[in-house]
Amino acid sequence: NAGVMQNPRHLVRRRGQEARLRCSPMKGHSHVYWYRQLPEEGLKFMVYLQKENIIDESGMPKERFSAEFPKEGPSILRIQQVVRGDSAAYFCASSPTTSDTQYFGPGTRLTVL
Amino acid sequence: GQQVMQIPQYQHVQEGEDFTTYCNSSTTLSNIQWYKQRPGGHPVFLIQLVKSGEVKKQKRLTFQFGEAKKNSSLHITATQTTDVGTYFCAGEVAGANSKLTFGKGITLSVRP
């Protein structure tokens, strides 16, 4: 049973470009969470999705950031018009149900030049 | 909003010494989880505590949930170099849609 997969593992973008981060949850998991980690900081919750639905996006910046988890395919975190401050590690986690252990993917390390 | 605090952020110990760290929440939690992240890696789930006063052990690691369910501790007996990493606690508030609030973590270094 493959773990949570994220790609790409490393992503470099110039200011103003778009970044698309993908997350495939563990098999049988329908709950996906996205977190952002700045250097030497903890994990900041961004958004919680269940298939085709956004359950909680209270941690998402109001502009430029969006997330989806379609019926088929991976969850996508999209950052439009990236700025230097978006440089961080973005982790995705999945769980089979609410209030279950969250299993983290390896993360995507985004660098904005 | 809810805050989960872990102080200090760094601790250095000599191999073989014991190590204890604490996690404090500004609100009562339905459960608390601990994760470990190695340098350059991703958080890996260690344990979940649900009941007031609960104590769980994993080999040399002992986890405790406070009676008021607002704090937790992690104790490592006789640290080894393999214990190096950042330990995060994460609290879940009842009814919060399973949203975990993570502390900033404590980075443990072990001198051989």
Side-chain angles (χ1 to χ4, degrees):
Chain A
N1 187 8
V4 178
M5 294 192 289
Q6 289 186 252
N7 67 80
R9 295 290 300 277
H10 299 273
L11 182 60
V12 179
R13 284 287 178 265
R14 295 192 182 279
R15 278 179 297 171
Q17 292 185 320
E18 179 179 287
R20 277 184 182 241
L21 288 61
R22 293 175 202 79
C23 169
S24 296
M26 285 179 72
K27 189 177 179 181
H29 289 194
S30 59
H31 300 248
V32 165
Y33 313 82
W34 285 94
Y35 295 88
R36 177 164 63 177
Q37 185 176 38
L38 294 168
E40 302 194 4
E41 292 282 326
L43 292 145
K44 290 265 196 287
F45 167 81
M46 298 182 75
V47 62
Y48 162 36
L49 309 105
Q50 210 177 338
K51 279 291 185 182
E52 299 184 273
N53 293 307
I54 295 176
I55 307 300
D56 184 342
E57 57 180 347
S58 57
M60 285 270 274
K62 295 285 185 281
E63 297 175 351
R64 303 189 297 108
F65 285 73
S66 62
E68 61 177 16
F69 188 14
K71 190 175 177 182
E72 301 289 338
S75 175
I76 307 280
L77 178 67
R78 183 179 175 210
I79 311 172
Q80 295 178 286
Q81 299 173 338
V82 295
V83 300
R84 288 224 175 100
D86 296 332
S87 296
Y90 292 83
F91 289 97
C92 158
S94 74
S95 67
T97 63
T98 305
S99 298
D100 236 316
T101 302
Q102 295 183 19
Y103 294 88
F104 281 79
T108 293
R109 282 152 179 84
L110 172 66
T111 303
V112 180
L113 301 175
Chain B
Q2 184 199 3
Q3 287 187 321
V4 175
M5 291 154 286
Q6 291 183 259
I7 297 170
Q9 269 192 271
Y10 303 93
Q11 194 151 345
H12 312 278
V13 299
Q14 186 72 40
E15 188 174 22
E17 286 181 347
D18 290 355
F19 162 77
T20 303
T21 188
Y22 301 91
C23 171
N24 297 294
S25 168
S26 58
T27 55
T28 302
L29 302 169
S30 60
N31 71 78
I32 197 158
Q33 300 177 25
W34 285 88
Y35 291 77
K36 179 182 178 182
Q37 184 176 22
R38 292 184 186 275
H42 61 278
V44 174
F45 172 79
L46 293 177
I47 205 95
Q48 177 174 290
L49 304 167
V50 179
K51 298 176 186 173
S52 169
E54 187 172 13
V55 177
K56 285 189 177 179
K57 292 191 176 186
Q58 282 182 353
K59 297 184 180 177
R60 293 177 297 103
L61 277 61
T62 302
F63 303 85
Q64 185 163 8
F65 203 5
E67 294 291 338
K69 299 182 77 172
K70 292 180 76 171
N71 54 64
S72 179
S73 65
L74 158 61
H75 177 82
I76 304 178
T77 304
T79 53
Q80 300 176 0
T81 52
T82 52
D83 296 326
V84 162
T86 301
Y87 293 84
F88 294 100
C89 65
E92 182 181 338
V93 175
N97 281 326
S98 191
K99 184 172 78 177
L100 286 176
T101 300
F102 280 79
K104 287 194 174 182
I106 180 165
T107 299
L108 175 67
S109 64
V110 179
R111 291 187 299 273

